Amino acid sequence: MSYILDFFKIIQDLGPTVMMPIIICIFGIALGAEKGKSARAGLTVGVGFIGLNLVIGALSTNLGPAVEQMIERFGISLSVIDVGWPATAAIAFASVVGMVIIPVCLVVNIIMLLTNTTQTIDVDIWDYWHFAFTGALVAVVTGSQAMGLVAAILNMVIIMVIADYTASGVEETLGLPGVSLPHGFTAAYAPIAIVINKIIDMIPGIRDIDINMEKAQKRFGVFGEPILIGTALGIIIGIVAGYEYGDVLKLGITMGGVLVLIPRMASLLMEGLLPISDAASEFINKRFSNRGKVYIGLDSAVGVGHPLTLSVSLILIPLTVFMAVILPGNKVLPFADLAVIPWMFVLITPVVKGNGFRALINGVVVLAGGLLIATNLAPLMTEAAINAEYTMPSAGTQISSICDGANPLTWAIVRLNDFGWIGMGIVAVVAVALALINRRRIIKEAKELKSAQQ
């Protein structure tokens, strides 16, 4: 077992830019694709991830100081520090649950595929840390590592079902055919967006408001393009932060560049994935008649580049800081994870079908709720960090994050475990019920596909 854990620890330490090309290449060969095509596909995916990381790094590097200056300018002081997703992932992987999460989740994915309870082959194994984080917090609550591991597994099952359910929207709205997004943070917001969307549909007048990026681009021409929208939003953030005019312009142009470059890096990823996706579909269709369509599960970074996702996120960054100050009960100072707000919207965007007004309403709701969730989970995250020997910012300080400290699904699973095995039983019933409903949908879809082919 120690050798197995050491092997997966090496994979984990490689990070997604190295790990994903290797996995994609091996996966392609296993599915029957040519070795040369598989190698090229893997390397192209790796280059796409490097490009995405560079652009996202530019986003974080430039937004971070602006947010910090904004906080100092308005004298904002809150007691819980947002340490960001890299620290959160490190805490998750350093936990006992995190040490075994990769092999366990691979087994769970295989079982779900064999039982027709998912259509997703989740190759994004580095992001299994989201499930490990839930498990680490449950282990703190219950005092049981076994309970933590069970919670992590159930979290994955629920996310895999959500990924299947939203895959058609990912294909249609985000332009990512054959891809699903079983991302523990991103997928958690899709059910909330569905509920909010239905509530808006019941309100006369409000339901007719549609701020559509594609329509805006046609109406305003060049002024509706992502490059100018990003530049304008960057300038506004710079002004709110109190930057000098030169720095305001630099921030604006950088944000405009981010809105242009992220979609192009995502398209490079898709170029690498298409032959693997085709090979997977052919492999499944030949060997299994009741599987329906098969999706490659990826990091939601591939969908961040949608103009609506980025535009609404840039609007919400200063708004989140403002909400943190005025929201009763909040103790979290949002900072390090403000740059991950776009990840919240990757699946919200398909649910609202590109409607900017509805996306903005969703954003205000999930971020306000997320700040309160992050406040509530801060003591548990702090204890999990201490258990993982994470270096705390200062003695007595509590930490949290937007990703995954503000995750509503993580919060629900953790808080249900306040009731011990009864709470875990409720989570298990929900996860199994969703998996069985998904199985029925998959089999029905497969029959319809088979009939259409005949």
Side-chain angles (χ1 to χ4, degrees), residues 380-392:
L380 297 178
M381 182 169 170
T382 302
E383 187 173 342
I386 294 169
N387 292 343
E389 298 183 356
Y390 172 77
T391 303
M392 299 295 291

Side-chain angles (χ1 to χ4, degrees), residues 12-158:
Q12 173 189 317
D13 290 343
L14 288 173
T17 55
V18 175
M19 186 184 67
M20 288 300 293
I22 296 171
I23 292 172
I24 292 294
C25 181
I26 294 172
F27 188 50
I29 294 170
L31 291 171
E34 294 177 12
K35 293 178 181 177
K37 284 186 177 180
S38 297
R40 185 183 184 279
L43 290 171
T44 303
V45 168
V47 171
F49 266 108
I50 289 170
L52 269 176
N53 286 339
L54 288 172
V55 181
I56 291 166
L59 174 69
S60 303
T61 301
N62 286 274
L63 271 181
V67 171
E68 188 172 6
Q69 191 157 319
M70 198 185 304
I71 289 167
E72 290 177 3
R73 187 182 185 197
F74 294 101
I76 299 169
S77 178
L78 295 163
S79 60
V80 178
I81 298 174
D82 169 16
V83 293
W85 74 264
T88 310
I91 292 166
F93 272 136
S95 68
V96 174
V97 176
M99 291 178 186
V100 298
I101 196 67
I102 292 177
V104 167
C105 285
L106 287 172
V107 170
V108 171
N109 194 179
I110 292 168
I111 292 171
M112 290 187 74
L113 286 165
L114 292 175
T115 56
N116 256 354
T117 50
T118 189
Q119 296 166 282
T120 294
I121 303 171
D122 188 1
V123 300
D124 182 29
I125 64 177
W126 197 87
D127 274 325
Y128 289 175
W129 74 261
H130 296 280
F131 312 131
F133 180 73
T134 300
L137 296 194
V138 169
V140 171
V141 169
T142 61
S144 167
Q145 298 299 334
M147 292 274 277
L149 186 58
V150 171
I153 291 169
L154 295 175
N155 190 0
M156 181 184 184
V157 171
I158 294 169

Side-chain angles (χ1 to χ4, degrees), residues 169 173-174 193 303 306-310 312 342 344-355 359:
T173 305
L174 303 183
H306 192 282
L308 174 66
T309 298
L310 288 172
V312 172
M344 281 184 167
F345 285 91
V346 174
L347 287 179
I348 291 176
T349 296
V351 170
V352 301
K353 301 189 185 302
N355 186 325

Side-chain angles (χ1 to χ4, degrees), residues 235-255:
I235 288 172
I236 292 169
I237 291 171
I239 292 171
V240 174
Y243 274 7
E244 297 290 335
Y245 73 91
D247 292 330
V248 167
L249 293 175
K250 286 178 185 176
L251 183 60
I253 292 170
T254 301
M255 292 303 102

Side-chain angles (χ1 to χ4, degrees), residues 426-439:
I426 294 171
V427 178
V429 168
V430 171
V432 171
L434 289 173
L436 292 175
I437 292 169
N438 198 36
R439 170 183 162 82

